[in-house]
Amino acid sequence: MVEFTVFKGSKGGKIVEAKTTREVKHGQVLVRITHSGLCGTDLHYKGADMALGHEGAGVVEELGEGVTHLKKGDRVGWGYEHDSCGHCPKRAMYGYADLDQASMGTHAVWNEAFLFKIPDSMSNEDAAPLQCGGATVYGAMMNVKSKDVVGIVGIGGLGHLAIQFAAKMGCKVVVFSGSDSKKDEALRLGASEFHAVANVKSLSDVMDLKDEDNKIDHLLVTASAQIPWDLYLPAMAPNGTIYPLSVSEGELSLPYMPILLSGLRIQGSLVAARKVHHEMLQFAALHGIKPVIQTFPMTKEGVEECFKTLEEGKMRYRGVLVAEEKASKL
């Protein structure tokens, strides 16, 4: 049995430092956590009595019986999904299972089949936010081709990663944001075009939509709130796909006829399959895709400050909690 520290939410929304105990069972490994990303989804669980975080990176410290894929010292990451029986669609996921452990803490015990080796050229610090943020946007782009036009709404924790992945796939990347404040950064990350749309009534005012080649084949919506759909639907290419990626409460309401007449699809994307997750890490390492991060210490005070920064809209663009000493070198 091993005992370790975790950082939990609570009914009052306060961060609680607690202890939990786990046995390293057959097929499992003990991971010393070096880094944890903070995702917008974590805000929804801050008021629950559960361990927080699902963007973990660390080092394997102990092996259970039957472990064949990993060895001590391996650097690994994990995301939203923790386990499955492999015989049905049900999965053990963050917020629904393993509520006593997560990525914000000192250690965790996981099934080795749901851990991903971090490429040698990638640091743990950069790998942590990719475990959810990177997997979410990359998983949405499985059907994207290099000739496609990819539209991205919002330049935040998901959007800034989506720009990089789409650009490295060879796509024309059109970015939409409320103002010009992030224009230079979007272009630096790989955007082909940038449009500030806060005061735009029609995208035809800023884009040449008479040319069908300029219309959007894939629209990734990464904004923190639902967008004015009547602004974007006329810019969609026939048979285009819209991906709502941000977690949002309430109903999704879109104009009916534009979807019908253009044959548009609405495609959700939350948790990448393990093969896709592995492929995402390899793709990111090969093309030098890195999150833009702010770091905080992996302490109760650090977790509180990290959450506060995100809640106040001041995070650019992913918060990363860093364990003391050894973690800073990985």
Side-chain angles (χ1 to χ4, degrees), residues 144-224:
V144 170
K145 301 179 179 64
S146 59
K147 67 177 182 60
D148 290 342
V149 178
V150 176
I152 297 169
V153 184
I155 310 170
L158 292 177
H160 89 285
L161 291 171
I163 293 170
Q164 295 181 73
F165 278 110
K168 294 302 183 181
M169 289 178 181
C171 302
K172 179 180 178 179
V173 184
V174 183
V175 176
F176 303 96
S177 187
S179 71
D180 282 323
S181 65
K182 299 177 181 178
K183 179 178 180 178
D184 291 343
E185 191 154 32
L187 295 174
R188 179 180 62 80
L189 290 171
S192 311
E193 296 180 16
F194 179 95
H195 301 291
V197 296
N199 299 312
V200 173
K201 294 183 178 180
S202 171
L203 289 184
S204 61
D205 294 338
V206 295
M207 300 173 63
D208 179 13
L209 296 179
K210 293 181 180 179
D211 185 345
E212 292 294 322
D213 289 339
N214 291 329
K215 289 195 171 182
I216 299 167
D217 299 292
H218 303 272
L219 183 68
L220 278 66
V221 182
T222 71
S224 58

Side-chain angles (χ1 to χ4, degrees), residues 198-322:
N199 299 312
V200 173
K201 294 183 178 180
S202 171
L203 289 184
S204 61
D205 294 338
V206 295
M207 300 173 63
D208 179 13
L209 296 179
K210 293 181 180 179
D211 185 345
E212 292 294 322
D213 289 339
N214 291 329
K215 289 195 171 182
I216 299 167
D217 299 292
H218 303 272
L219 183 68
L220 278 66
V221 182
T222 71
S224 58
Q226 292 200 37
I227 62 174
W229 295 104
D230 54 352
L231 178 67
Y232 290 95
L233 294 186
M236 294 297 297
N239 300 312
T241 306
I242 298 168
Y243 307 85
L245 299 182
S246 299
V247 175
S248 177
E249 301 294 336
E251 296 182 354
L252 177 63
S253 178
L254 295 92
Y256 180 77
M257 288 306 294
I259 294 174
L260 185 69
L261 295 174
S262 294
L264 302 181
R265 294 181 290 273
I266 312 297
Q267 175 67 56
S269 175
L270 178 63
V271 181
R274 282 179 286 171
K275 178 180 181 297
V276 174
H277 194 129
H278 172 76
E279 184 180 298
M280 176 275 299
L281 289 173
Q282 298 302 313
F283 188 92
L286 177 64
H287 293 285
I289 294 172
K290 296 182 178 182
V292 177
I293 64 171
Q294 291 178 233
T295 59
F296 303 81
M298 186 89 79
T299 61
K300 180 176 179 292
E301 294 74 20
V303 174
E304 290 172 340
E305 183 63 23
C306 192
F307 268 93
K308 180 182 177 182
T309 302
L310 181 59
E311 289 169 333
E312 293 179 349
K314 297 178 180 178
M315 192 75 77
R316 288 224 176 174
Y317 288 105
R318 306 292 293 197
V320 177
L321 293 154
V322 184

Side-chain angles (χ1 to χ4, degrees), residues 99-145:
L99 301 183
D100 63 321
Q101 63 170 4
S103 63
M104 296 182 192
T106 60
H107 295 77
V109 176
W110 300 119
N111 182 339
E112 71 157 342
F114 289 81
L115 293 171
F116 303 91
K117 288 185 179 180
I118 296 173
D120 292 340
S121 62
M122 182 182 293
S123 69
N124 283 24
E125 184 174 82
D126 289 330
L130 296 179
Q131 304 305 317
C132 179
T136 297
V137 297
Y138 188 85
M141 291 191 276
M142 284 294 90
N143 294 317
V144 170
K145 301 179 179 64

Side-chain angles (χ1 to χ4, degrees), residues 4-65:
F4 49 87
T5 299
V6 296
F7 296 101
K8 302 172 61 177
S10 65
K11 290 184 178 180
K14 299 291 185 180
I15 301 299
V16 176
E17 183 174 340
K19 296 287 186 180
T20 191
T21 302
R22 282 266 175 157
E23 179 184 355
V24 184
K25 298 179 180 179
H26 187 278
Q28 295 182 335
V29 302
L30 173 67
V31 180
R32 173 174 57 83
I33 299 170
T34 62
H35 298 80
S36 172
L38 174 65
C39 177
T41 307
D42 294 318
L43 297 180
H44 296 266
Y45 293 108
K46 189 182 176 187
D49 180 19
M50 57 172 275
L52 297 170
H54 58 281
E55 293 184 332
V59 178
V60 175
E61 280 199 336
E62 184 179 331
L63 307 178
E65 293 184 7

